Amino acid sequence: MANKHILIVPGDGIGQEVTAVGKKVLNKIAAKYSHTFTYDDALIGHIAIEATGNPLPDESLEKMRNSDAVLFGAVGHPKYDNDPSAKVRPEQGLLKMRKELGLYANIRPIKLFDELLGASSIKPEILKGADILFFRELTGDIYFGEKGRKNNGDTAFDVAEYSRYEVERIARKAFDAAKTRRKKLCSVDKANVLETSRLWRDVVQKVALEYPDVAVEYQFVDSTAMLLIKDPTRFDVVVTANLFGDILTDEASQIAGSMGMLASASIGDGTGVYEPIHGSAHDITGKGVANPLASILSAALLLDISFGMKEESETVINAVDKVLKAGYRTRDIADSTTPADKILGTERMGEEVLKFI
Ligand SMILES: NC(=O)c1ccc[n+]([C@@H]2O[C@H](COP(=O)([O-])OP(=O)(O)OC[C@H]3O[C@@H](n4cnc5c(N)ncnc54)[C@H](O)[C@@H]3O)[C@@H](O)[C@H]2O)c1
């Protein structure tokens, strides 16, 4: 029986719809296991800009620091996507949150539920058994370096930077995880071209000496992009820089059938943030069709990583598995063989998961 304070930060678009379902799942777990979870909520993204002019108001940041974990939705709005000149943008809130909370490791489990073998665009015989744990570095790289324009605005630059310390701490997290899994680690870089990648590889090679039982391989990001599709089962733990991780994990989402299935944890030394990997999906916002399973699986990661509640976390994952085995699908993971009465909207899908919990 534990007392925990959880901050719900839905953000924009379908973030609102899926996070509401994730919260219901946390509530159900609290009731089943006699925990006391208290909640508060906070603004971030477009919705925060509209209300306060700031994509991450100080009040939200303060609430994040004072909670035991954050269940996060997504940020983004088409208004900004189509206006590169906008000075205040929703993603600034996301980047500031990561930086201020020191969330340097983004952990993304990519595992295909057997029932969804047919939902992926990759052949089932290639996919079967794929189980990858991505570690994406989150507070360095080209996202946070100096950026600007020169030559009267006709030339633009973004500087990629990494320090030894930044690479070392994410590498250690990835090696620690590999030790508890199949003891394989793939470090992804572009060391043939980039100086930051050469430092990355040098540091990972040194950290590897402390983990003699983990088999390490080094791959370039371009060949990794190819291997993820050709032979996904060859990977166990993958560790990579911020930009490469951003792109590769979206690619790998196809292994899991849909963006709507993938959860992630962003952790550092303080409050952890748990969120689906998908964005605010304005093409389906307000239609009640968004897949809430990524948010539900994010809640499962929250229980496991921030609260150390392994059994509770497994209960949530098993409930998702059972819902899929019972044939229920949201539109994004349905195929031509799914009966119409098994295709559920966001809330109904959440209700089925609650029943199995
Ligand atoms: N972490 C974040 O907050 C985050 C991440 C990525 C994109 N974004 C933002 O989100 C906005 C939309 O970006 P995008 O379209 O490139 O990415 P997206 O992830 O929002 O959507 C990509 C596609 O996947 C579908 N999709 C995503 N999540 C789904 C779900 N749960 N259920 C069913 N279908 C789902 C969408 O309908 C869309 O067709 C942009 O403003 C972008 O900046 C935010």
Side-chain angles (χ1 to χ4, degrees), residues 30 50 57 66 75 124 144 152 176 201 228 230 267 272 280 342:
E50 295 284 293
N66 293 329
V75 295
F144 292 99
N152 295 324
D176 285 340
R201 194 175 284 213
L228 273 173
K230 184 167 176 253
I267 59 164
S280 46
K342 295 272 180 173

Side-chain angles (χ1 to χ4, degrees), residues 87-194:
K87 290 265 180 296
V88 181
R89 314 180 62 83
E91 309 81 52
Q92 291 163 345
L94 189 65
L95 295 183
K96 187 170 169 201
M97 174 180 79
R98 290 172 180 168
K99 200 79 185 172
E100 292 289 328
L101 296 181
L103 303 172
Y104 63 83
N106 184 238
I107 306 172
R108 299 187 178 191
I110 301 211
K111 193 171 175 183
L112 181 71
F113 286 90
D114 276 351
E115 305 304 317
L116 295 183
L117 269 175
S120 171
S121 32
I122 306 172
K123 287 186 196 125
E125 61 269 29
I126 288 180
L127 275 185
K128 199 161 171 49
D131 178 3
I132 309 173
L133 189 63
F134 265 95
F135 280 77
R136 167 188 169 196
E137 201 288 330
L138 210 56
T139 53
D141 209 353
I142 199 161
Y143 293 83
F144 292 99
E146 195 192 341
K147 48 186 83 241
R149 296 276 178 119
K150 50 190 182 184
N151 297 335
N152 295 324
D154 289 337
T155 304
F157 60 90
D158 299 276
V159 176
E161 245 183 86
Y162 266 117
S163 69
R164 251 175 217 288
Y165 165 71
E166 286 173 314
V167 183
E168 225 175 272
R169 62 183 181 176
I170 180 99
R172 283 223 164 77
K173 284 255 182 274
F175 273 106
D176 285 340
K179 269 177 77 166
T180 67
R181 292 170 48 100
R182 302 193 303 280
K183 299 188 172 46
K184 278 170 61 182
L185 182 132
C186 177
S187 174
V188 178
D189 61 35
K190 186 81 183 165
N192 49 343
V193 180
L194 301 176

Side-chain angles (χ1 to χ4, degrees), residues 14 74-77 81 259-260 275 278-281 283-284 290-291 332:
I14 63 164
V75 295
H77 193 275
D81 296 342
M259 303 264 279
E275 59 177 304
H278 61 72
S280 46
D283 52 336
I284 56 168
N291 184 347
D332 56 309

Side-chain angles (χ1 to χ4, degrees), residues 20-294:
V21 179
K23 181 180 171 185
K24 283 187 191 160
V25 164
L26 288 168
N27 256 336
K28 182 85 179 181
I29 286 290
K32 182 177 165 83
Y33 290 91
S34 306
H35 298 307
T36 306
F37 291 168
T38 53
Y39 305 93
D40 195 357
D41 44 50
L43 296 175
I44 194 169
H46 168 69
I47 194 170
I49 298 174
E50 295 284 293
T52 69
N54 184 346
L56 180 62
D58 291 345
E59 188 194 346
S60 297
L61 197 53
E62 210 40 45
K63 284 184 179 179
M64 288 171 182
R65 290 205 173 101
N66 293 329
S67 60
D68 293 311
V70 173
L71 186 69
F72 182 80
V75 295
H77 193 275
K79 183 172 143 187
Y80 309 91
D81 296 342
N82 303 325
D83 178 12
S85 69
K87 290 265 180 296
V88 181
R89 314 180 62 83
E91 309 81 52
Q92 291 163 345
L94 189 65
L95 295 183
K96 187 170 169 201
M97 174 180 79
R98 290 172 180 168
K99 200 79 185 172
E100 292 289 328
L101 296 181
L103 303 172
Y104 63 83
N106 184 238
I107 306 172
R108 299 187 178 191
I110 301 211
K111 193 171 175 183
L112 181 71
F113 286 90
D114 276 351
E115 305 304 317
L116 295 183
L117 269 175
S120 171
S121 32
I122 306 172
K123 287 186 196 125
E125 61 269 29
I126 288 180
L127 275 185
K128 199 161 171 49
D131 178 3
I132 309 173
L133 189 63
F134 265 95
F135 280 77
R136 167 188 169 196
E137 201 288 330
L138 210 56
T139 53
D141 209 353
I142 199 161
Y143 293 83
F144 292 99
E146 195 192 341
K147 48 186 83 241
R149 296 276 178 119
K150 50 190 182 184
N151 297 335
N152 295 324
D154 289 337
T155 304
F157 60 90
D158 299 276
V159 176
E161 245 183 86
Y162 266 117
S163 69
R164 251 175 217 288
Y165 165 71
E166 286 173 314
V167 183
E168 225 175 272
R169 62 183 181 176
I170 180 99
R172 283 223 164 77
K173 284 255 182 274
F175 273 106
D176 285 340
K179 269 177 77 166
T180 67
R181 292 170 48 100
R182 302 193 303 280
K183 299 188 172 46
K184 278 170 61 182
L185 182 132
C186 177
S187 174
V188 178
D189 61 35
K190 186 81 183 165
N192 49 343
V193 180
L194 301 176
E195 199 53 41
T196 40
S197 283
R198 285 192 273 273
L199 176 83
W200 181 280
R201 194 175 284 213
D202 180 43
V203 173
V204 175
Q205 280 168 344
K206 290 201 168 80
V207 174
L209 298 174
E210 298 166 30
Y211 297 85
D213 50 338
V214 176
V216 190
E217 69 163 339
Y218 300 89
Q219 286 287 348
F220 294 135
V221 61
D222 37 357
S223 92
T224 307
M226 180 267 294
L227 288 169
L228 273 173
I229 300 297
K230 184 167 176 253
D231 188 13
T233 58
R234 78 195 298 287
F235 294 104
D236 179 13
V237 174
V238 177
V239 62
T240 191
N242 203 345
L243 178 63
F244 299 154
D246 192 359
I247 299 166
L248 290 178
T249 50
D250 263 28
E251 181 193 351
S253 73
Q254 285 311 297
I255 294 171
S258 164
M259 303 264 279
M261 293 300 299
L262 285 183
S264 81
S266 299
I267 59 164
D269 303 318
T271 315
V273 175
Y274 300 83
E275 59 177 304
I277 80 155
H278 61 72
S280 46
H282 281 272
D283 52 336
I284 56 168
T285 296
K287 295 187 177 156
V289 298
N291 184 347
L293 295 178

